[in-house]
Short mmCIF file of all heavy atoms in Angstrom, two decimals:
data_model
loop_
_atom_site.label_atom_id
_atom_site.label_comp_id
_atom_site.label_asym_id
_atom_site.label_seq_id
_atom_site.Cartn_x
_atom_site.Cartn_y
_atom_site.Cartn_z
N MET A 1162 87.87 89.49 122.42
CA MET A 1162 87.93 90.44 121.30
C MET A 1162 88.05 89.65 120.00
O MET A 1162 88.91 88.80 119.88
CB MET A 1162 89.15 91.34 121.55
CG MET A 1162 89.55 92.20 120.38
SD MET A 1162 90.61 93.55 120.88
CE MET A 1162 92.19 92.74 121.12
N PRO A 1163 87.19 89.93 119.03
CA PRO A 1163 87.34 89.24 117.74
C PRO A 1163 88.67 89.62 117.11
O PRO A 1163 89.41 90.42 117.66
CB PRO A 1163 86.16 89.76 116.91
CG PRO A 1163 85.73 91.02 117.56
CD PRO A 1163 86.15 90.93 119.01
N ASP A 1164 88.94 89.05 115.96
CA ASP A 1164 90.30 89.15 115.47
C ASP A 1164 90.67 90.51 114.92
O ASP A 1164 90.81 90.71 113.73
CB ASP A 1164 90.55 88.06 114.45
CG ASP A 1164 91.79 87.29 114.82
OD1 ASP A 1164 92.62 87.87 115.53
OD2 ASP A 1164 91.91 86.13 114.42
N ASP A 1165 90.87 91.43 115.84
CA ASP A 1165 91.24 92.78 115.46
C ASP A 1165 92.62 92.81 114.81
O ASP A 1165 92.85 93.52 113.85
CB ASP A 1165 91.21 93.65 116.72
CG ASP A 1165 91.66 95.06 116.41
OD1 ASP A 1165 91.08 95.65 115.49
OD2 ASP A 1165 92.57 95.55 117.09
N LEU A 1166 93.52 92.01 115.35
CA LEU A 1166 94.88 91.96 114.81
C LEU A 1166 94.86 91.47 113.37
O LEU A 1166 95.55 92.01 112.51
CB LEU A 1166 95.74 91.04 115.69
CG LEU A 1166 97.22 90.99 115.35
CD1 LEU A 1166 97.86 92.37 115.45
CD2 LEU A 1166 97.92 90.02 116.28
N PHE A 1167 94.03 90.46 113.11
CA PHE A 1167 93.91 89.94 111.76
C PHE A 1167 93.40 91.02 110.81
O PHE A 1167 93.90 91.18 109.71
CB PHE A 1167 92.98 88.72 111.75
CG PHE A 1167 92.78 88.15 110.38
CD1 PHE A 1167 93.79 87.43 109.76
CD2 PHE A 1167 91.59 88.33 109.70
CE1 PHE A 1167 93.61 86.91 108.48
CE2 PHE A 1167 91.40 87.82 108.43
CZ PHE A 1167 92.42 87.11 107.82
N GLN A 1168 92.40 91.77 111.27
CA GLN A 1168 91.85 92.85 110.46
C GLN A 1168 92.91 93.88 110.12
O GLN A 1168 93.01 94.35 108.99
CB GLN A 1168 90.70 93.56 111.20
CG GLN A 1168 89.53 92.67 111.56
CD GLN A 1168 88.83 92.11 110.33
OE1 GLN A 1168 88.80 92.75 109.29
NE2 GLN A 1168 88.28 90.92 110.46
N ARG A 1169 93.71 94.21 111.13
CA ARG A 1169 94.73 95.25 110.91
C ARG A 1169 95.82 94.73 109.99
O ARG A 1169 96.38 95.48 109.18
CB ARG A 1169 95.31 95.68 112.26
CG ARG A 1169 94.34 96.59 113.01
CD ARG A 1169 95.01 97.22 114.19
NE ARG A 1169 95.35 96.23 115.19
CZ ARG A 1169 96.44 96.28 115.95
NH1 ARG A 1169 97.27 97.28 115.82
NH2 ARG A 1169 96.67 95.36 116.83
N TYR A 1170 96.13 93.46 110.13
CA TYR A 1170 97.15 92.84 109.27
C TYR A 1170 96.67 92.81 107.82
O TYR A 1170 97.41 93.17 106.90
CB TYR A 1170 97.46 91.47 109.88
CG TYR A 1170 97.80 90.32 108.98
CD1 TYR A 1170 98.84 90.41 108.07
CD2 TYR A 1170 97.12 89.11 109.10
CE1 TYR A 1170 99.16 89.32 107.27
CE2 TYR A 1170 97.45 88.03 108.32
CZ TYR A 1170 98.45 88.13 107.38
OH TYR A 1170 98.75 87.07 106.60
N GLN A 1171 95.42 92.46 107.61
CA GLN A 1171 94.86 92.49 106.27
C GLN A 1171 94.81 93.91 105.71
O GLN A 1171 95.12 94.14 104.56
CB GLN A 1171 93.44 91.91 106.28
CG GLN A 1171 93.40 90.42 106.56
CD GLN A 1171 94.05 89.63 105.45
OE1 GLN A 1171 93.60 89.64 104.32
NE2 GLN A 1171 95.14 88.94 105.76
N ALA A 1172 94.42 94.86 106.54
CA ALA A 1172 94.34 96.25 106.12
C ALA A 1172 95.71 96.77 105.73
O ALA A 1172 95.86 97.50 104.76
CB ALA A 1172 93.73 97.11 107.22
N ALA A 1173 96.72 96.39 106.50
CA ALA A 1173 98.09 96.82 106.21
C ALA A 1173 98.55 96.23 104.88
O ALA A 1173 99.23 96.90 104.10
CB ALA A 1173 99.03 96.40 107.34
N HIS A 1174 98.17 95.01 104.63
CA HIS A 1174 98.55 94.39 103.36
C HIS A 1174 97.88 95.10 102.19
O HIS A 1174 98.52 95.40 101.19
CB HIS A 1174 98.16 92.90 103.38
CG HIS A 1174 98.72 92.14 102.21
ND1 HIS A 1174 97.97 91.28 101.46
CD2 HIS A 1174 99.95 92.15 101.67
CE1 HIS A 1174 98.73 90.79 100.48
NE2 HIS A 1174 99.94 91.30 100.59
N ARG A 1175 96.61 95.40 102.37
CA ARG A 1175 95.89 96.11 101.31
C ARG A 1175 96.49 97.49 101.09
O ARG A 1175 96.64 97.93 99.95
CB ARG A 1175 94.40 96.25 101.67
CG ARG A 1175 93.59 95.01 101.30
CD ARG A 1175 92.10 95.34 101.32
NE ARG A 1175 91.69 95.85 102.62
CZ ARG A 1175 91.28 95.08 103.62
NH1 ARG A 1175 91.22 93.79 103.48
NH2 ARG A 1175 90.93 95.61 104.77
N ALA A 1176 96.84 98.16 102.17
CA ALA A 1176 97.42 99.50 102.06
C ALA A 1176 98.73 99.44 101.30
O ALA A 1176 98.99 100.28 100.44
CB ALA A 1176 97.63 100.09 103.45
N TYR A 1177 99.53 98.44 101.60
CA TYR A 1177 100.81 98.32 100.91
C TYR A 1177 100.59 98.03 99.43
O TYR A 1177 101.20 98.65 98.56
CB TYR A 1177 101.70 97.24 101.52
CG TYR A 1177 102.89 96.99 100.64
CD1 TYR A 1177 103.91 97.94 100.56
CD2 TYR A 1177 102.97 95.86 99.83
CE1 TYR A 1177 104.97 97.77 99.69
CE2 TYR A 1177 104.02 95.68 98.96
CZ TYR A 1177 105.03 96.64 98.90
OH TYR A 1177 106.06 96.47 98.03
N GLN A 1178 99.69 97.10 99.13
CA GLN A 1178 99.44 96.74 97.73
C GLN A 1178 98.89 97.92 96.94
O GLN A 1178 99.29 98.13 95.80
CB GLN A 1178 98.47 95.57 97.66
CG GLN A 1178 99.15 94.26 98.00
CD GLN A 1178 98.27 93.08 97.67
OE1 GLN A 1178 97.08 93.11 97.91
NE2 GLN A 1178 98.85 92.04 97.12
N ALA A 1179 97.99 98.67 97.57
CA ALA A 1179 97.43 99.84 96.90
C ALA A 1179 98.53 100.84 96.61
O ALA A 1179 98.58 101.44 95.53
CB ALA A 1179 96.35 100.47 97.77
N HIS A 1180 99.43 101.02 97.56
CA HIS A 1180 100.54 101.95 97.36
C HIS A 1180 101.45 101.46 96.23
O HIS A 1180 101.79 102.20 95.34
CB HIS A 1180 101.34 102.12 98.65
CG HIS A 1180 102.61 102.89 98.41
ND1 HIS A 1180 102.65 104.26 98.42
CD2 HIS A 1180 103.85 102.47 98.09
CE1 HIS A 1180 103.88 104.65 98.12
NE2 HIS A 1180 104.63 103.58 97.92
N ALA A 1181 101.82 100.19 96.29
CA ALA A 1181 102.76 99.64 95.32
C ALA A 1181 102.20 99.74 93.90
O ALA A 1181 102.95 99.95 92.95
CB ALA A 1181 103.09 98.20 95.67
N ARG A 1182 100.89 99.58 93.78
CA ARG A 1182 100.28 99.68 92.46
C ARG A 1182 100.33 101.10 91.94
O ARG A 1182 100.57 101.33 90.75
CB ARG A 1182 98.81 99.21 92.52
CG ARG A 1182 98.59 97.90 91.81
CD ARG A 1182 97.12 97.65 91.56
NE ARG A 1182 96.29 97.92 92.71
CZ ARG A 1182 95.98 97.01 93.64
NH1 ARG A 1182 96.42 95.79 93.54
NH2 ARG A 1182 95.21 97.33 94.66
N ALA A 1183 100.12 102.06 92.83
CA ALA A 1183 100.04 103.45 92.41
C ALA A 1183 101.41 104.11 92.31
O ALA A 1183 101.59 105.08 91.59
CB ALA A 1183 99.16 104.22 93.38
N CYS A 1184 102.37 103.58 93.05
CA CYS A 1184 103.68 104.23 93.16
C CYS A 1184 104.60 103.82 92.02
O CYS A 1184 104.70 102.64 91.70
CB CYS A 1184 104.30 103.87 94.50
SG CYS A 1184 105.89 104.65 94.77
N THR A 1185 105.28 104.80 91.46
CA THR A 1185 106.18 104.48 90.35
C THR A 1185 107.58 104.14 90.85
O THR A 1185 108.39 103.62 90.09
CB THR A 1185 106.27 105.67 89.38
OG1 THR A 1185 106.53 106.86 90.14
CG2 THR A 1185 104.97 105.84 88.62
N SER A 1186 107.87 104.42 92.13
CA SER A 1186 109.22 104.14 92.66
C SER A 1186 109.32 102.76 93.27
O SER A 1186 110.42 102.24 93.45
CB SER A 1186 109.60 105.16 93.72
OG SER A 1186 109.17 106.43 93.34
N CYS A 1187 108.20 102.17 93.61
CA CYS A 1187 108.23 100.87 94.26
C CYS A 1187 108.30 99.75 93.23
O CYS A 1187 107.44 99.66 92.35
CB CYS A 1187 107.01 100.68 95.15
SG CYS A 1187 107.11 101.57 96.70
N THR A 1188 109.32 98.91 93.33
CA THR A 1188 109.44 97.73 92.48
C THR A 1188 109.67 96.52 93.38
O THR A 1188 109.69 96.66 94.60
CB THR A 1188 110.65 97.87 91.52
OG1 THR A 1188 111.84 97.85 92.29
CG2 THR A 1188 110.58 99.15 90.73
N ASP A 1189 109.88 95.37 92.76
CA ASP A 1189 110.18 94.18 93.55
C ASP A 1189 111.53 94.30 94.25
O ASP A 1189 111.77 93.68 95.28
CB ASP A 1189 110.19 92.94 92.66
CG ASP A 1189 108.77 92.55 92.24
OD1 ASP A 1189 107.81 93.03 92.89
OD2 ASP A 1189 108.63 91.78 91.28
N GLN A 1190 112.41 95.10 93.68
CA GLN A 1190 113.75 95.22 94.22
C GLN A 1190 113.89 96.36 95.22
O GLN A 1190 114.70 96.30 96.12
CB GLN A 1190 114.78 95.44 93.09
CG GLN A 1190 115.06 94.19 92.29
CD GLN A 1190 113.97 93.96 91.23
OE1 GLN A 1190 113.44 94.91 90.66
NE2 GLN A 1190 113.63 92.71 90.99
N ALA A 1191 113.12 97.40 95.02
CA ALA A 1191 113.30 98.57 95.87
C ALA A 1191 111.96 99.20 96.21
O ALA A 1191 111.00 99.11 95.45
CB ALA A 1191 114.18 99.59 95.14
N ARG A 1192 111.92 99.85 97.37
CA ARG A 1192 110.69 100.52 97.79
C ARG A 1192 111.03 101.95 98.19
O ARG A 1192 112.10 102.20 98.73
CB ARG A 1192 110.06 99.82 98.98
CG ARG A 1192 109.52 98.46 98.63
CD ARG A 1192 108.90 97.79 99.84
NE ARG A 1192 108.63 96.40 99.50
CZ ARG A 1192 109.33 95.38 99.96
NH1 ARG A 1192 110.29 95.57 100.81
NH2 ARG A 1192 109.05 94.15 99.57
N CYS A 1193 110.09 102.84 97.92
CA CYS A 1193 110.31 104.22 98.35
C CYS A 1193 110.09 104.31 99.86
O CYS A 1193 109.72 103.33 100.51
CB CYS A 1193 109.35 105.15 97.61
SG CYS A 1193 107.64 105.01 98.13
N THR A 1194 110.32 105.48 100.42
CA THR A 1194 110.23 105.65 101.88
C THR A 1194 108.86 105.24 102.40
O THR A 1194 108.75 104.50 103.37
CB THR A 1194 110.50 107.11 102.24
OG1 THR A 1194 111.67 107.54 101.56
CG2 THR A 1194 110.69 107.27 103.73
N GLN A 1195 107.85 105.73 101.74
CA GLN A 1195 106.50 105.40 102.20
C GLN A 1195 106.19 103.93 102.00
O GLN A 1195 105.56 103.29 102.85
CB GLN A 1195 105.48 106.27 101.46
CG GLN A 1195 104.17 106.38 102.23
CD GLN A 1195 103.04 106.84 101.34
OE1 GLN A 1195 103.26 107.33 100.25
NE2 GLN A 1195 101.83 106.67 101.82
N GLY A 1196 106.63 103.39 100.87
CA GLY A 1196 106.41 101.98 100.61
C GLY A 1196 107.08 101.11 101.66
O GLY A 1196 106.53 100.11 102.11
N THR A 1197 108.29 101.50 102.05
CA THR A 1197 109.03 100.78 103.09
C THR A 1197 108.26 100.81 104.40
O THR A 1197 108.13 99.81 105.08
CB THR A 1197 110.42 101.39 103.29
OG1 THR A 1197 111.11 101.36 102.04
CG2 THR A 1197 111.21 100.63 104.33
N ARG A 1198 107.76 101.99 104.73
CA ARG A 1198 107.03 102.13 105.99
C ARG A 1198 105.78 101.24 105.98
O ARG A 1198 105.49 100.54 106.95
CB ARG A 1198 106.64 103.59 106.19
CG ARG A 1198 106.41 103.92 107.65
CD ARG A 1198 106.11 105.39 107.83
NE ARG A 1198 107.08 106.24 107.16
CZ ARG A 1198 106.76 107.29 106.38
NH1 ARG A 1198 105.52 107.64 106.21
NH2 ARG A 1198 107.69 108.00 105.80
N LEU A 1199 105.05 101.25 104.87
CA LEU A 1199 103.85 100.43 104.77
C LEU A 1199 104.20 98.94 104.82
O LEU A 1199 103.53 98.15 105.48
CB LEU A 1199 103.12 100.74 103.45
CG LEU A 1199 102.40 102.08 103.41
CD1 LEU A 1199 101.98 102.41 101.99
CD2 LEU A 1199 101.19 102.05 104.32
N TRP A 1200 105.29 98.57 104.14
CA TRP A 1200 105.72 97.18 104.11
C TRP A 1200 106.11 96.72 105.51
O TRP A 1200 105.72 95.64 105.96
CB TRP A 1200 106.87 97.01 103.13
CG TRP A 1200 107.41 95.62 103.13
CD1 TRP A 1200 108.58 95.19 103.70
CD2 TRP A 1200 106.80 94.45 102.54
NE1 TRP A 1200 108.72 93.85 103.50
CE2 TRP A 1200 107.64 93.37 102.80
CE3 TRP A 1200 105.60 94.25 101.83
CZ2 TRP A 1200 107.35 92.07 102.36
CZ3 TRP A 1200 105.31 92.96 101.41
CH2 TRP A 1200 106.17 91.90 101.67
N GLU A 1201 106.88 97.56 106.20
CA GLU A 1201 107.35 97.17 107.53
C GLU A 1201 106.19 97.04 108.52
O GLU A 1201 106.20 96.15 109.37
CB GLU A 1201 108.38 98.15 108.05
CG GLU A 1201 109.73 97.89 107.40
CD GLU A 1201 110.77 98.93 107.78
OE1 GLU A 1201 110.42 99.92 108.45
OE2 GLU A 1201 111.93 98.74 107.37
N SER A 1202 105.23 97.92 108.42
CA SER A 1202 104.12 97.80 109.35
C SER A 1202 103.30 96.55 109.02
O SER A 1202 102.79 95.88 109.92
CB SER A 1202 103.28 99.07 109.37
OG SER A 1202 102.33 99.06 108.35
N PHE A 1203 103.22 96.21 107.73
CA PHE A 1203 102.54 94.97 107.36
C PHE A 1203 103.28 93.76 107.92
O PHE A 1203 102.68 92.87 108.53
CB PHE A 1203 102.42 94.86 105.84
CG PHE A 1203 102.20 93.45 105.37
CD1 PHE A 1203 101.04 92.76 105.69
CD2 PHE A 1203 103.17 92.80 104.61
CE1 PHE A 1203 100.84 91.44 105.28
CE2 PHE A 1203 102.99 91.49 104.19
CZ PHE A 1203 101.83 90.82 104.52
N VAL A 1204 104.60 93.73 107.75
CA VAL A 1204 105.40 92.60 108.24
C VAL A 1204 105.28 92.46 109.76
O VAL A 1204 105.14 91.36 110.28
CB VAL A 1204 106.88 92.77 107.83
CG1 VAL A 1204 107.78 91.79 108.57
CG2 VAL A 1204 107.02 92.57 106.33
N ARG A 1205 105.30 93.61 110.44
CA ARG A 1205 105.21 93.57 111.90
C ARG A 1205 103.86 92.98 112.35
O ARG A 1205 103.80 92.14 113.23
CB ARG A 1205 105.36 94.98 112.46
CG ARG A 1205 105.89 94.99 113.89
CD ARG A 1205 106.37 96.38 114.29
NE ARG A 1205 107.05 97.04 113.17
CZ ARG A 1205 106.78 98.27 112.72
NH1 ARG A 1205 105.90 99.01 113.28
NH2 ARG A 1205 107.41 98.78 111.70
N LEU A 1206 102.79 93.42 111.71
CA LEU A 1206 101.46 92.91 112.06
C LEU A 1206 101.33 91.44 111.68
O LEU A 1206 100.72 90.65 112.41
CB LEU A 1206 100.38 93.72 111.35
CG LEU A 1206 100.13 95.10 111.93
CD1 LEU A 1206 99.34 95.97 110.97
CD2 LEU A 1206 99.39 94.99 113.25
N GLN A 1207 101.92 91.08 110.56
CA GLN A 1207 101.86 89.68 110.14
C GLN A 1207 102.59 88.79 111.15
O GLN A 1207 102.08 87.75 111.55
CB GLN A 1207 102.49 89.52 108.76
CG GLN A 1207 102.28 88.14 108.18
CD GLN A 1207 103.07 87.94 106.91
OE1 GLN A 1207 104.22 88.32 106.81
NE2 GLN A 1207 102.45 87.34 105.92
N ASP A 1208 103.77 89.22 111.55
CA ASP A 1208 104.53 88.47 112.55
C ASP A 1208 103.74 88.31 113.83
O ASP A 1208 103.63 87.23 114.40
CB ASP A 1208 105.84 89.18 112.87
CG ASP A 1208 106.88 88.92 111.80
OD1 ASP A 1208 106.61 88.11 110.90
OD2 ASP A 1208 107.97 89.52 111.87
N ALA A 1209 103.18 89.42 114.28
CA ALA A 1209 102.42 89.40 115.53
C ALA A 1209 101.23 88.46 115.39
O ALA A 1209 100.94 87.67 116.29
CB ALA A 1209 101.94 90.81 115.87
N TYR A 1210 100.59 88.53 114.24
CA TYR A 1210 99.42 87.69 114.01
C TYR A 1210 99.80 86.21 113.98
O TYR A 1210 99.19 85.38 114.64
CB TYR A 1210 98.73 88.10 112.72
CG TYR A 1210 97.56 87.21 112.38
CD1 TYR A 1210 96.40 87.25 113.15
CD2 TYR A 1210 97.64 86.30 111.32
CE1 TYR A 1210 95.34 86.41 112.87
CE2 TYR A 1210 96.57 85.47 111.03
CZ TYR A 1210 95.43 85.52 111.80
OH TYR A 1210 94.39 84.69 111.53
N LEU A 1211 100.82 85.88 113.22
CA LEU A 1211 101.22 84.48 113.08
C LEU A 1211 101.74 83.93 114.40
O LEU A 1211 101.51 82.77 114.74
CB LEU A 1211 102.29 84.34 111.99
CG LEU A 1211 101.81 84.65 110.58
CD1 LEU A 1211 102.96 84.55 109.60
CD2 LEU A 1211 100.68 83.71 110.16
N GLN A 1212 102.43 84.77 115.14
CA GLN A 1212 102.98 84.33 116.41
C GLN A 1212 101.88 84.03 117.42
O GLN A 1212 101.97 83.10 118.20
CB GLN A 1212 103.87 85.42 116.97
CG GLN A 1212 105.13 84.88 117.61
CD GLN A 1212 106.23 85.90 117.48
OE1 GLN A 1212 106.14 86.97 118.08
NE2 GLN A 1212 107.23 85.62 116.68
N ARG A 1213 100.85 84.88 117.38
CA ARG A 1213 99.78 84.70 118.33
C ARG A 1213 98.95 83.45 118.00
O ARG A 1213 98.44 82.78 118.86
CB ARG A 1213 98.88 85.94 118.31
CG ARG A 1213 98.14 86.10 119.61
CD ARG A 1213 97.12 87.18 119.49
NE ARG A 1213 96.21 86.90 118.39
CZ ARG A 1213 95.16 87.65 118.10
NH1 ARG A 1213 94.94 88.75 118.77
NH2 ARG A 1213 94.36 87.35 117.10
N LYS A 1214 98.80 83.19 116.70
CA LYS A 1214 98.02 82.02 116.29
C LYS A 1214 98.68 80.73 116.69
O LYS A 1214 98.04 79.78 117.07
CB LYS A 1214 97.90 82.01 114.75
CG LYS A 1214 96.77 82.84 114.25
CD LYS A 1214 96.23 82.25 112.98
CE LYS A 1214 95.07 81.33 113.26
NZ LYS A 1214 94.23 81.07 112.12
N ARG A 1215 100.02 80.71 116.54
CA ARG A 1215 100.77 79.48 116.76
C ARG A 1215 100.94 79.23 118.26
O ARG A 1215 101.59 80.02 118.93
CB ARG A 1215 102.13 79.61 116.09
CG ARG A 1215 102.81 78.29 115.88
CD ARG A 1215 104.11 78.54 115.14
NE ARG A 1215 103.90 79.18 113.84
CZ ARG A 1215 104.62 80.21 113.39
NH1 ARG A 1215 105.59 80.72 114.09
NH2 ARG A 1215 104.36 80.73 112.21
N PRO A 1216 100.41 78.15 118.77
CA PRO A 1216 100.69 77.85 120.17
C PRO A 1216 102.09 77.32 120.29
O PRO A 1216 102.44 76.39 119.58
CB PRO A 1216 99.65 76.78 120.53
CG PRO A 1216 99.22 76.19 119.23
CD PRO A 1216 99.66 77.10 118.11
N ARG A 1217 102.87 77.93 121.07
CA ARG A 1217 104.26 77.49 121.08
C ARG A 1217 104.39 76.31 121.96
O ARG A 1217 104.94 75.44 122.06
CB ARG A 1217 105.16 78.59 121.59
CG ARG A 1217 104.65 79.15 122.90
CD ARG A 1217 105.37 80.42 123.20
NE ARG A 1217 104.90 81.09 124.38
CZ ARG A 1217 105.68 81.27 125.44
NH1 ARG A 1217 106.87 80.78 125.47
NH2 ARG A 1217 105.23 81.93 126.47
ZN1 ZN B 1357 106.33 103.67 96.81
#
């Protein structure tokens, strides 16, 4: 399977950035509920992606 995880991780990052740009509640210090959800899903995918890449 080509890098589906990478695609999803990039998409999650874009989704978060798009939200943060449009959202007036999200700042560097605090995130709104939706921003938090988008951020956490991005972090989870990033972790999964980085972990899979790295041969332990
Ligand atoms: Zn927000």
Side-chain angles (χ1 to χ4, degrees):
M1162 168 162 77
D1164 233 336
D1165 177 53
L1166 186 59
F1167 178 73
Q1168 300 296 329
R1169 284 191 293 145
Y1170 146 56
Q1171 291 295 297
H1174 189 227
R1175 276 195 303 271
Y1177 171 72
Q1178 284 191 318
H1180 171 86
R1182 250 195 314 269
C1184 182
T1185 50
S1186 320
C1187 283
T1188 67
D1189 287 343
Q1190 286 81 35
R1192 292 180 190 107
C1193 71
T1194 312
Q1195 202 198 345
T1197 303
R1198 203 176 310 133
L1199 287 168
W1200 176 255
E1201 282 175 354
S1202 85
F1203 159 65
V1204 167
R1205 206 166 321 130
L1206 285 165
Q1207 188 188 43
D1208 280 355
Y1210 176 69
L1211 293 177
Q1212 220 150 66
R1213 205 189 57 177
K1214 275 211 94 161
R1215 198 177 301 135
R1217 51 193 176 116

